[in-house]
């Protein structure tokens, strides 16, 4: 039987959005040994208030773009899992300008 995977340092992209921030709260409340780095561009949909008040020794917010390879080279080392929620989620916006949807 395989052992269970128990990551200790995770990155949550889009962690200031709706689903991502709820996931961050879930991890903080249910997995006391896990540190969360939130990577979020803070678009129209991202709000740092969604993760405000969480313990600073458990949750760190990095404001940045998942498409920024240089930034990822800096922050990914030392993490053992990435949970990916970052997205352009307001689909109507793609009618006016689809480029950010394709890029992200
Ligand atoms: N909300 C739902 O009911 C639902 C249902 C099924 C699937 N999903 C999927 O789950 C994911 C998250 O949905 P959500 O409702 O939480 O969206 P959301 O718009 O609330 O959150 C998206 C987050 O991603 C961030 N973001 C956007 N582009 C980024 C980039 N380039 N780099 C870094 N951060 C970036 C935004 O700032 C925001 O905080 C999406 O892929 C969505 O399609 C959502």
């Amino acid at each position: 039987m395989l052992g269970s995977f128990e990551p200790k340092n995770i990155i949550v992209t889009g962690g200031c959005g709706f689903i991502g921030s709820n996931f961050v709260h879930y991890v903080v409340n249910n997995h006391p040994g896990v540190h969360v780095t939130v990577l979020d561009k803070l678009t129209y949909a991202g709000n740092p208030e969604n993760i405000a008040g969480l313990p600073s020794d458990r949750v760190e917010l990095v404001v940045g773009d998942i498409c920024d390879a240089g930034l990822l080279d800096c922050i990914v080392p030392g993490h053992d899992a990435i949970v990916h929620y970052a997205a352009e989620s307001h689909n109507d916006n793609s009618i006016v300008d689809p480029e950010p949807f394709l890029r992200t």
Side-chain angles (χ1 to χ4, degrees):
M1 191 173 114
L2 293 174
S4 60
F5 176 52
E6 296 180 7
K8 294 295 178 203
N9 289 295
I10 68 172
I11 292 174
V12 178
T13 74
C16 291
F18 174 57
I19 294 181
S21 63
N22 278 286
F23 179 75
V24 173
H25 280 267
Y26 172 82
V27 170
V28 168
N29 291 331
N30 293 282
H31 297 276
V34 177
H35 179 275
V36 181
T37 301
V38 172
L39 173 60
D40 198 300
K41 191 178 171 184
L42 299 183
T43 67
Y44 52 85
N47 185 349
E49 284 298 311
N50 289 341
I51 56 168
L54 294 175
S56 58
D57 61 336
R58 302 280 317 282
V59 179
E60 176 188 7
L61 172 59
V62 176
V63 178
D65 192 329
I66 58 165
C67 304
D68 182 343
L71 174 64
L72 291 175
D73 281 345
C74 288
I75 67 169
V76 168
H79 293 87
D80 38 28
I82 299 175
V83 186
H84 181 51
Y85 295 107
E88 290 287 337
S89 59
H90 290 42
N91 295 337
D92 286 358
N93 293 345
S94 68
I95 297 167
V96 177
D97 182 12
E99 194 279 339
F101 287 74
L102 297 171
R103 186 167 181 273
T104 296

